[in-house]
Amino acid sequence: MGLVKCCREQVVAVSPDTPAVEVARIMGEKNVGSVVVVTGDNRPAGILTDRDLAVRVMAQEKNPGEVRAEEVLTRDVITFQDSMGIYEAIQKMTDAGIRRMPIVDDAGKLIGIVTMDDIVRMLGEEMAAIAKNIEKQSPPMQKPSAPIPM
């Protein structure tokens, strides 16, 4: 299964010149913990998380109205092609220690994002479907009528 099947196509994205205070407002309104910072041609330049705002802005007592997204984002963003398989993505996320990955098309333009939460949810749904299939094909379980004496 490709990533595009479980990614969120509604990506919360901001431009590099967005003030940190506005990024925080957007995160609150959209109920997300990160935004993808994109260039004018919709290519990911980095990711900015709520933790980045706390550590790189607030903890350093910077003015969140003056600091721009490009100054505090995580630049070495790892992106994945939409054709990548889910298990390969899980392995790469685990190896890199990341929880969010922007999905790009062949031209490198942002088309979605997938998080570890999305993957866990999708795998849970798949496991439930498998369990339901197994249950349908198995003989009914018999409940003991009385406890077995010891």
Side-chain angles (χ1 to χ4, degrees), residues 36-96:
V36 179
V37 180
V38 294
T39 60
D41 61 353
N42 205 37
R43 294 177 194 277
I47 287 188
L48 185 52
T49 66
D50 46 10
R51 183 176 191 284
D52 292 331
L53 291 174
V55 172
R56 297 177 184 162
V57 179
M58 301 308 294
Q60 294 183 19
E61 298 182 20
K62 293 181 178 178
N63 182 336
E66 294 177 5
V67 174
R68 304 291 177 222
E70 66 188 342
E71 298 171 51
V72 291
L73 60 79
T74 299
R75 290 192 185 281
D76 297 330
V77 63
I78 298 172
T79 60
F80 295 122
Q81 295 289 318
D82 60 342
S83 58
M84 179 182 282
I86 191 75
Y87 296 104
E88 182 183 359
I90 291 169
Q91 187 62 53
K92 288 189 180 226
M93 289 176 80
T94 302
D95 291 347

Side-chain angles (χ1 to χ4, degrees), residues 11-15 34-38 43-48 77 101-102 110 112-113:
V11 183
V12 180
V14 299
S15 67
S34 67
V35 297
V36 179
V37 180
V38 294
R43 294 177 194 277
I47 287 188
L48 185 52
V77 63
M101 52 185 172
L110 184 66
I113 191 165

Side-chain angles (χ1 to χ4, degrees), residues 77-137:
V77 63
I78 298 172
T79 60
F80 295 122
Q81 295 289 318
D82 60 342
S83 58
M84 179 182 282
I86 191 75
Y87 296 104
E88 182 183 359
I90 291 169
Q91 187 62 53
K92 288 189 180 226
M93 289 176 80
T94 302
D95 291 347
I98 58 174
R99 295 179 36 216
R100 304 163 179 94
M101 52 185 172
I103 310 301
V104 296
D105 62 15
D106 291 337
K109 295 186 179 190
L110 184 66
I111 60 169
I113 191 165
V114 68
T115 68
M116 274 292 194
D117 292 352
D118 297 330
I119 291 172
V120 168
R121 190 175 306 112
M122 187 269 310
L123 290 174
E125 290 169 3
E126 293 293 321
M127 293 302 292
I130 291 169
K132 187 179 256 185
N133 189 32
I134 290 170
E135 185 178 332
K136 282 174 36 179
Q137 296 180 15

